[in-house]
Amino acid sequence: MMDVKIREGEEFIRLGQALKKAGVVGSGVDAKFVITDGLVSVNGETELRRGKKLYGGEVVSYDKETIKIIK
């Protein structure tokens, strides 16, 4: 499991940004496609919104990778 930390001073990180920061996609365009194709889940539920706000504590899964969002 990888941890992705929300930037200091920020309340949240968007799902697409979290995937990029974790290094599981190469770009925002790649993130958009894997999310809209239904390949990403947040807390066990398929998420189709690239702009989904993650506030910390969420677990994101994509392509056998698990990412925990930390504050």
Side-chain angles (χ1 to χ4, degrees):
M1 179 179 294
M2 291 181 260
D3 290 340
V4 168
K5 187 167 173 46
I6 297 171
R7 273 191 262 171
E8 191 148 335
E10 300 285 327
E11 286 184 50
F12 60 86
I13 187 169
R14 295 189 188 276
L15 179 56
Q17 294 170 329
L19 292 174
K20 287 190 303 184
K21 192 170 182 179
V24 297
V25 296
S27 69
V29 173
D30 293 338
K32 176 183 177 181
F33 288 129
V34 300
I35 293 167
T36 58
D37 286 348
L39 302 176
V40 177
S41 67
V42 176
N43 296 331
E45 305 235 352
T46 301
E47 182 55 63
L48 300 174
R49 297 171 293 160
R50 178 175 62 159
K52 165 91 172 142
K53 295 177 181 177
L54 307 172
Y55 292 92
E58 294 89 350
V59 175
V60 178
S61 299
Y62 166 66
D63 193 33
K64 300 180 185 168
E65 297 287 349
T66 304
I67 304 157
K68 183 170 183 180
I69 308 301
I70 57 175
K71 192 82 171 145

